[in-house]
Amino acid sequence: MSVVLADLAYWQETTIRLVVGLIAVLLPAGTLVYLFLFKMMSFMQSRLGPMEAGPYGSLQLLAEVGKFLQKEDIVPQAADRLIFKLAPFVVLISTFLLILVIPAGPDLWFIDVDTGIFLGLAVSSISVIGILMAGWASSSKYSLLGALRATGQLIAYELPMVLAVVGVIIQAGTLNVQEIVMAQATGEIFGFGGIGNPYVITQFVGFLIFLIAVQAELTQPPFDMPVAESELVTGYLTEYSGLRFLMFFIGEFATAAIFSALAATLFLGGWYVPGLEATDNLFNVIGPIILLGKMLLVAFFIFWFRFTYPRFREDQLQQLAWKVLIPLSLVNIVITGVLKVVF
Amino acid sequence: MSDTADTKQMAYIAAQAADARVNLEIETEGMTLNIGPQHPATHGTLRIVVRLDGEQVISAEPLMGYMHRGYEKLTEVRTYPQVTTLVNRIDWLGSFANEVPFILAAEQLMEVEAPPRAQWIRTALFEMSRIANVVLFLGDMGVQLGAVTPVFFAFRDREFILNQIEAVTGGRFHPNFDRIGGLKDDLPKGWIDETRGVLKRIRNFCDEIETLVVGNEIFQSRTRNIGVIPADIGLSYGLSGANIRSSGVDWDIRRDGGVGLVHNELDWKVWTHPDGDSFARFWVRLQEVRESCTMIEQILDGIPSGPVMAKVPRIIKVPAGEAYVETENPLGVMGYYVISKGDLTPFRVKIRSASFNNVSITPWLLKGVYVPDVISILASLYFILGDIDR
Amino acid sequence: MRKIKLPGLIKGLGVTFKTLVRTLTKGSHTVQYPHVKESPPPRARGVIALHEENCTACMLCARECPDWCIYIEGHKYKAPPRRPGGKPRKKNALDRFDIDFSLCMFCGICVDVCPFEALFWTPEYEYSELKIADLLHDKTLLSQWMETVPDFEDYEAGSEAKKLTVPQ
C-alpha cells in the first residue's frame, strides 16, 4: 500500500489508510460473526439461526448494531465514569494496532517494520489494560472478578503465544512479517519446494500452541472463565450496555479475526498460494482474498472448539499455561534451534 | 452430621486459610458476593450469599423463598380435582410426576385403586416426565460449565418426549391428566409405536451426551472430586434421588416399597456410583434416563387392556383421615401428607419436595471450593426453583 | 483389530461436526414459525370452544374452575310446550359466557365437568392480543372456535374407553 500511496498528499494518504483500516478490521469481524457465531453455531445445534433479516439472515448483524445503537448508555452510579467510558476504546485501539502488521500482498501493508511480529504481539497486550479498566471502573464484584481473571489469563497465555512464534522467527530468520511470508513462499521442505514451506508443517507444535494461546487470548471457551456467563454474568462486560458493549463485542471478534489472520500469516503462508511467483503483481489483488480464506479456515477451528468444549477452571487453565504449554514451547524452540543449526 | 467429616472439612479450611495468611501484610478482607436472586446460574430466583477469600468460598448460605407461591395453603381452598392443576406446577419440568403422589394419597384415603391399565399408563407417563426433566439437566450441566451446545441437543430431543406427553394428555408442561381413581382418558391410537421411535432418539441423545460431555477431559477435570458428598452426610441432610444414589446409597422408592405404580413388575436396575462427586451425580442421572427408556419400552409391550377409570363419585369427598405417600420423582423423593376432614377440600397438605433438601446441603458442601465450582456443584445438585419454594 | 482410543476432546468435536453436516444436508429440527407452522396433536389444549346450543348455564364449569375465570349469566324463560295443550317448558337462556384467557390455567377441568358437552378443547394457539383485556373471549368468539375443534381420536388397542363425537 505504501508503494501505491507514495505520490498522494499526506491528508489523502491518511484518509485512505483510515478507510482501508476500518474495512480491514470490521469486514472480517462481521464475516466471522455471521458465518460462525450466527450460522455455524446454529447448525451445530440443529437449528438455522437468524433467517429473517435479509437473505438467510445476512443482514442480522446490521440489525444487531442498530439495536445496540438505540440502547441507553448506562453508567453505574458508583462507577469511575471516565475510566468506565474510556475502557472500550482502549480495547479497540489494541485491535486496530494489531492489524497494522499483517501484510495482505507483496505490496499491500500498512507499515513495514523490521520488528513487525514483535510489535504485533506487544500491542495485542494493550487490551489487558482496557479490560482491567473496565472491570475496576464498573464497581461491580462480578466485573472485578472477571477482570482479574482475564488479566491473569491474558498474561499467562501471552507467554506461550510469544514462545510459539519464536520457533517461526528462528526458522524464518527475521522478525519482519512480510519476510516471514516470503520465507514460507520460497522455502523448501527437505529440498522439495513445490508448495513452499508453510510453517504449519515444520512448526506444527508451535501452531497448536499458538492456536490454544489465541483461544485463551480471545477469552473464548474453553478459556472463557473471565466472562463465564453462568457464574460471573459476563465478567467485565456486566455493566456495559449499548454502544460501549458493542465496542467490546467488535473488539472481541475483530481480534479473533486478526489473530486468525496472524496465525494464517505465520503458519499457513499468508497471502501466498503455491503455483505463482511470490513477487507476482497478481497477489496484490488476490492476496487479501487468499488471506481471508486462510483466516476463515483458522477461525473455523477456533469457533469449533468454542462451541464444543466446556470451560476450564481458573487454576486449571493457569496450570495448562505454565506447566504444559510454556515448557512445551521452550522445548519446541530448542529443537527448532538445533535443527536450524544442523540443516 | 457426622463429626469426623465435619472436623476434616474444618481442618481443610483451616489449612487453606493458614496458607492464605502466611504473610499478614497481604492479608485481605473477605468479599461478600451475592449470587442471585437474579443470576444466570440459579435457574430461577435462588439467592446464595457467599463470603469469598479471593476466589475461595469461606461460607455460603442459600436463601430461598423468592418464588414462594404458597401451594400448601392454596390446596386448602381447592377441591381435590383442582389441586392436581396446582401441584403440577411445583417441579415444572417433570410436572406429571408431581400429580402422582398426591393422587395416590387421595386414593389411599378414599380406598379406591386405579385399574391396572391406568396404573401402567401412569407409570409410563411418570417415567416420561422423568426423561423430560433429566434430559434438560444433562444439557444444562454443560451450559453451567460453559459448553453451549449440549443444552440445544437437550431441548431438541426433549421436544419429542413433550410431544408424546402432549399427544396423550393435551398439555406439554402441565398435563393435569391424573384423576382420583385412574386417568382422564386412554391412549390415542398409534401412540405406542411413535413412543418407541422417540425412545430411540432419547437413547441416541444419551450417547451424544456421553461423547460430548462425559467423555470430555475438561468436563471430567471440572467435576471429578468436586463437591464430594459422603453417604452419611448426604443422608443426614435428607438428600434423595440421584444425589444420594451417586454417593453409593442404593435407595430408590420405585423399587423399595412404591405404591400405586408398577415399577416392581418391570425389569430394571438402580444405578449407583461410589464417588459422590459432581461427575457421579451427572453419570447416575445419565444412566437413569437410559433405564427409564428400558422401563417405558417394557411398559409399552405390557400394557393390560381394560378401563382407565375406577368407579368414583362425580363429586369427590375424601373421607376423614391422614395419608402420606412418597414417590421417586425426577429430582428425588417427593411426598404429600394429606389430612382430610371429610370435606371437598383437603384440611392440610404438606408437600415434601426433593429440591428443598437437596439445596440445604450447600452451606456444608460449598465451604472451601472455588467460585467456578460453586456453579458446577449447584448445577450437579440439580434443583428446580419451584420445587424448593413451592 | 485393536481400536485406537481417541481422546474425548476430539470425539466431542466429532459430535458437533456431525450435527453441522446433518443440519446442512437434512435440515434443522426447528421450524421457521410464522412461515411454517407445526400442528399440535388433536388433544392439545389450545383454546376452549363453546357449543352454545348445548349450554344450559348450569354454572358447573364456573364453579369448578380453579381460578374462577369463567363468567356466566343466564335467565330462565318459558318455551312454548312441545305438545299442544301441555305446560310451557322452563328453559335456561345464556346471556353471557366469557372466559378470561389471561387468567385461565388451561387445566381442562371445565371441559371435563361439563355434563352437556358444551365445551371442547381445540389445538388452535394463535390468539395472542396486544391488550390483555382482549383476551376475554365472549360467547360469539368462543362459538367461532367450534369450527376448529378436531374429531376425537381413536383409542389404542386394549382400551375400553368410548369414543365421543363432536357436535357440529
Side-chain angles (χ1 to χ4, degrees):
Chain A
M1 187 176 291
S2 310
V3 180
V4 186
L5 298 175
D7 335 325
L8 291 173
Y10 179 73
W11 69 271
Q12 288 169 321
E13 194 187 324
T14 312
T15 318
I16 291 174
R17 274 171 184 270
L18 207 66
V19 170
V20 174
L22 269 178
I23 292 173
V25 171
L26 294 182
L27 193 71
T31 318
L32 280 197
V33 172
Y34 173 69
L35 269 186
F36 295 129
L37 191 68
F38 287 168
K39 286 301 171 184
M40 187 178 104
M41 179 179 179
S42 308
F43 293 154
M44 284 187 168
Q45 296 161 353
S46 315
R47 58 197 177 92
L48 290 177
M51 291 292 278
E52 294 298 312
Y56 295 97
S58 49
L59 300 179
Q60 181 68 29
L61 196 59
L62 289 183
E64 301 276 344
V65 170
K67 182 193 76 179
F68 279 121
L69 290 180
Q70 288 171 29
K71 284 191 174 179
E72 188 187 351
D73 183 22
I74 299 170
V75 182
Q77 202 176 17
D80 190 338
R81 293 182 73 90
L82 181 68
I83 306 286
F84 184 83
K85 288 186 168 176
L86 267 181
F89 292 97
V90 176
V91 174
L92 262 192
I93 281 171
S94 118
T95 309
F96 276 92
L97 287 180
L98 199 55
I99 191 88
L100 293 180
V101 299
I102 297 172
D107 300 316
L108 284 180
W109 64 79
F110 287 97
I111 49 164
D112 186 22
V113 284
D114 284 341
T115 53
I117 189 65
F118 178 71
L119 173 73
L121 294 174
V123 293
S124 79
S125 333
I126 293 179
S127 67
V128 179
I129 300 170
I131 287 169
L132 204 54
M133 282 163 70
W136 181 257
S138 294
S139 81
S140 154
K141 287 167 183 170
Y142 291 117
S143 299
L144 184 61
L145 272 178
L148 291 178
R149 282 182 186 182
T151 314
Q153 175 175 331
L154 296 190
I155 291 171
Y157 280 87
E158 199 78 10
L159 273 171
M161 192 164 169
V162 172
L163 293 177
V165 174
V166 168
V168 171
I169 294 169
I170 291 175
Q171 213 176 350
T174 172
L175 282 169
N176 186 318
V177 185
Q178 186 71 289
E179 280 171 26
I180 290 177
V181 176
M182 284 297 182
Q184 293 182 68
T186 55
E188 293 175 336
I189 310 167
F190 303 117
F192 173 68
I195 55 165
N197 182 13
Y199 290 148
V200 65
I201 297 171
T202 47
Q203 288 288 329
F204 189 68
V205 179
F207 181 62
L208 284 186
I209 295 170
F210 190 80
L211 268 193
I212 294 172
V214 162
Q215 195 87 354
E217 288 281 304
L218 296 171
T219 64
Q220 291 202 358
F223 304 100
D224 69 332
M225 196 77 327
V227 289
E229 78 265 13
S230 61
E231 54 202 71
L232 293 186
V233 193
T234 39
Y236 53 89
L237 299 172
T238 307
E239 302 295 337
Y240 281 90
S241 69
L243 190 59
R244 285 172 214 283
F245 181 82
L246 180 68
M247 291 170 78
F248 273 116
F249 189 78
I250 292 173
E252 183 184 343
F253 285 94
T255 318
I258 294 167
F259 269 126
S260 310
L262 199 62
T265 307
L266 293 178
F267 294 97
L268 301 179
W271 45 262
Y272 176 76
V273 279
L276 286 170
E277 201 63 33
T279 46
D280 199 325
N281 209 20
L282 188 63
F283 275 122
N284 283 328
V285 182
I286 61 167
I289 301 166
I290 294 166
L291 187 62
L292 189 72
K294 286 180 179 176
M295 181 207 88
L296 288 179
L297 185 70
V298 176
F300 173 77
F301 282 100
I302 290 179
F303 281 85
W304 191 9
F305 300 149
R306 174 183 174 138
F307 302 141
T308 307
Y309 293 150
R311 66 175 75 94
F312 280 109
R313 207 171 54 214
E314 190 64 22
D315 55 329
Q316 288 165 346
L317 62 87
Q318 295 288 354
Q319 274 177 11
L320 181 69
W322 294 101
K323 289 190 180 165
V324 180
L325 293 182
I326 291 177
L328 201 63
S329 48
L330 286 175
V331 170
N332 184 41
I333 291 171
V334 171
I335 293 174
T336 311
V338 169
L339 288 180
K340 175 91 178 174
V341 173
V342 171
F343 287 104
Chain B
M1 185 191 301
S2 85
D3 283 326
T4 49
D6 199 37
T7 342
K8 248 190 210 164
Q9 187 90 4
M10 290 305 289
Y12 172 74
I13 297 160
Q16 292 285 326
D19 275 351
R21 306 221 167 102
V22 176
N23 192 344
L24 275 177
E25 280 151 31
I26 59 164
E27 185 186 336
T28 50
E29 248 178 80
M31 177 167 88
T32 307
L33 187 67
N34 194 6
I35 301 181
Q38 312 294 335
H39 187 274
T42 54
H43 9 177
T45 49
L46 178 69
R47 179 177 169 210
I48 297 167
V49 180
V50 287
R51 296 264 324 146
L52 296 181
D53 180 12
E55 288 243 357
Q56 204 165 31
V57 176
I58 302 169
S59 69
E61 186 190 359
L63 296 174
M64 307 154 191
Y66 286 89
M67 239 195 84
H68 183 62
R69 293 165 292 175
Y71 279 147
E72 291 178 3
K73 197 73 193 165
L74 278 174
T75 52
E76 294 172 18
V77 288
R78 295 289 189 284
T79 61
Y80 282 87
Q82 290 175 348
V83 169
T84 52
T85 324
L86 289 177
V87 295
N88 62 31
R89 281 155 170 81
I90 289 179
D91 159 21
W92 48 65
L93 291 180
S95 36
F96 184 83
N98 293 320
E99 304 170 6
V100 174
F102 177 76
I103 290 291
L104 291 177
E107 282 178 359
Q108 215 175 61
L109 283 174
M110 289 181 71
E111 289 170 358
V112 289
E113 198 179 338
R117 187 178 172 83
Q119 287 187 12
W120 281 69
I121 297 173
R122 216 181 246 177
T123 314
L125 289 170
F126 188 80
E127 289 305 321
M128 282 176 89
S129 69
R130 177 188 312 279
I131 293 178
N133 187 326
V134 179
V135 156
L136 200 60
F137 160 78
L138 296 177
D140 177 68
M141 184 83 178
V143 167
Q144 304 293 346
L145 293 178
V148 275
T149 305
V151 79
F152 284 94
F153 289 173
F155 276 124
R156 179 190 74 197
D157 291 328
R158 186 182 69 143
E159 203 59 23
F160 297 107
I161 280 283
L162 288 182
N163 282 342
Q164 290 311 101
I165 293 178
E166 189 184 25
V168 183
T169 65
R172 303 171 77 73
F173 274 88
H174 303 305
N176 191 25
F177 194 61
D178 250 336
R179 297 288 182 270
I180 293 174
L183 295 169
K184 183 186 149 207
D185 212 342
D186 211 319
L187 300 175
K189 201 176 178 69
W191 186 80
I192 289 182
D193 286 336
E194 275 172 42
T195 310
R196 285 212 177 91
V198 167
L199 291 178
K200 219 190 253 167
R201 276 184 178 281
I202 296 293
R203 282 170 195 275
N204 192 20
F205 165 79
C206 290
D207 294 343
E208 271 182 349
I209 285 289
E210 185 124 43
T211 37
L212 187 62
V213 181
V214 178
N216 192 310
E217 280 83 0
I218 301 175
F219 176 80
Q220 291 187 5
S221 69
R222 282 298 304 279
T223 51
R224 282 208 192 265
N225 294 323
I226 301 296
V228 181
I229 304 177
D232 56 336
I233 302 250
L235 282 175
S236 66
Y237 271 103
L239 258 60
S240 55
N243 287 331
I244 197 71
R245 281 196 287 279
S246 59
S247 297
V249 178
D250 191 9
W251 174 49
D252 193 323
I253 292 186
R254 288 177 288 175
R255 183 195 56 195
D256 315 327
V259 289
L261 298 171
V262 295
H263 287 112
N264 279 334
E265 295 171 41
L266 309 172
D267 175 31
W268 59 288
K269 183 175 182 301
V270 176
W271 288 91
T272 55
H273 197 285
D275 288 355
D277 52 9
S278 297
F279 181 82
R281 291 192 277 278
F282 187 89
W283 187 85
V284 165
R285 287 205 174 89
L286 180 65
Q287 303 308 324
E288 280 184 5
V289 171
R290 289 182 169 149
E291 212 56 52
S292 288
C293 289
T294 38
M295 266 190 249
I296 295 172
E297 267 164 9
Q298 293 170 36
I299 292 170
L300 294 180
D301 291 335
I303 295 182
S305 53
V308 288
M309 196 68 189
K311 282 234 172 300
V312 249
R314 204 176 168 94
I315 294 171
I316 288 169
K317 270 194 179 172
V318 174
E322 297 174 9
Y324 179 69
V325 173
E326 52 185 16
T327 51
E328 186 74 29
N329 273 37
L331 298 166
V333 172
M334 184 179 209
Y336 286 79
Y337 185 51
V338 182
I339 303 178
S340 174
K341 295 258 162 145
D343 287 334
L344 286 169
T345 62
F347 177 72
R348 173 85 170 91
V349 172
K350 168 79 182 88
I351 306 169
R352 187 256 190 238
S353 58
S355 291
F356 183 81
N357 295 55
N358 289 350
V359 166
S360 65
I361 198 174
T362 46
W364 182 85
L365 196 56
L366 293 182
K367 266 184 213 166
V369 302
Y370 294 108
V371 174
D373 291 335
V374 172
I375 307 303
S376 67
I377 289 171
L378 283 180
S380 73
L381 281 176
Y382 193 38
F383 51 87
I384 301 275
L385 245 290
D387 203 41
I388 297 176
D389 289 343
R390 301 189 289 279
Chain C
M1 202 180 102
R2 231 176 91 235
K3 229 176 149 187
I4 304 157
K5 199 158 175 282
L6 280 170
L9 289 172
I10 292 171
K11 278 202 261 178
L13 286 176
V15 171
T16 41
F17 193 75
K18 234 188 277 167
T19 319
L20 171 79
V21 173
R22 197 173 56 207
T23 314
L24 282 173
T25 53
K26 292 187 187 160
S28 68
H29 280 81
T30 52
V31 291
Q32 296 298 306
Y33 165 60
H35 311 298
V36 190
K37 280 168 192 165
E38 279 192 327
S39 54
R43 280 188 191 179
R45 300 201 290 258
V47 64
I48 296 167
L50 170 72
H51 192 61
E52 210 187 319
E53 291 85 67
N54 281 2
C55 182
T56 60
C58 69
M59 308 288 281
L60 256 181
C61 50
R63 248 189 334 203
E64 286 294 321
C65 180
D67 46 4
W68 305 291
C69 68
I70 305 178
Y71 310 99
I72 302 177
E73 280 166 22
H75 67 269
K76 287 192 164 59
Y77 70 100
K78 296 257 168 74
R82 270 210 195 90
R83 288 169 278 113
K87 271 202 282 184
R89 292 173 296 149
K90 272 190 195 163
K91 285 198 92 174
N92 290 322
L94 192 61
D95 293 330
R96 177 187 181 207
F97 192 103
D98 294 351
I99 298 182
D100 189 349
F101 281 105
S102 60
L103 270 183
C104 178
M105 301 208 301
F106 298 88
C107 62
I109 289 178
C110 51
V111 180
D112 284 354
V113 297
C114 181
F116 302 107
E117 293 187 6
L119 290 174
F120 295 92
W121 279 111
T122 117
E124 211 61 30
Y125 52 88
E126 290 174 312
Y127 55 97
S128 60
E129 301 283 353
L130 289 175
K131 278 189 290 182
I132 200 165
D134 293 341
L135 279 172
L136 187 82
H137 288 199
D138 62 3
K139 75 179 175 191
T140 24
L141 191 49
L142 289 171
S143 306
Q144 281 165 16
W145 288 124
M146 253 339 261
E147 292 162 20
T148 61
V149 176
D151 284 332
F152 286 102
E153 291 166 287
D154 289 333
Y155 286 110
E156 193 69 84
S159 161
E160 290 177 4
K162 241 189 8 222
K163 191 186 157 189
L164 302 169
T165 47
V166 179
Q168 288 306 336

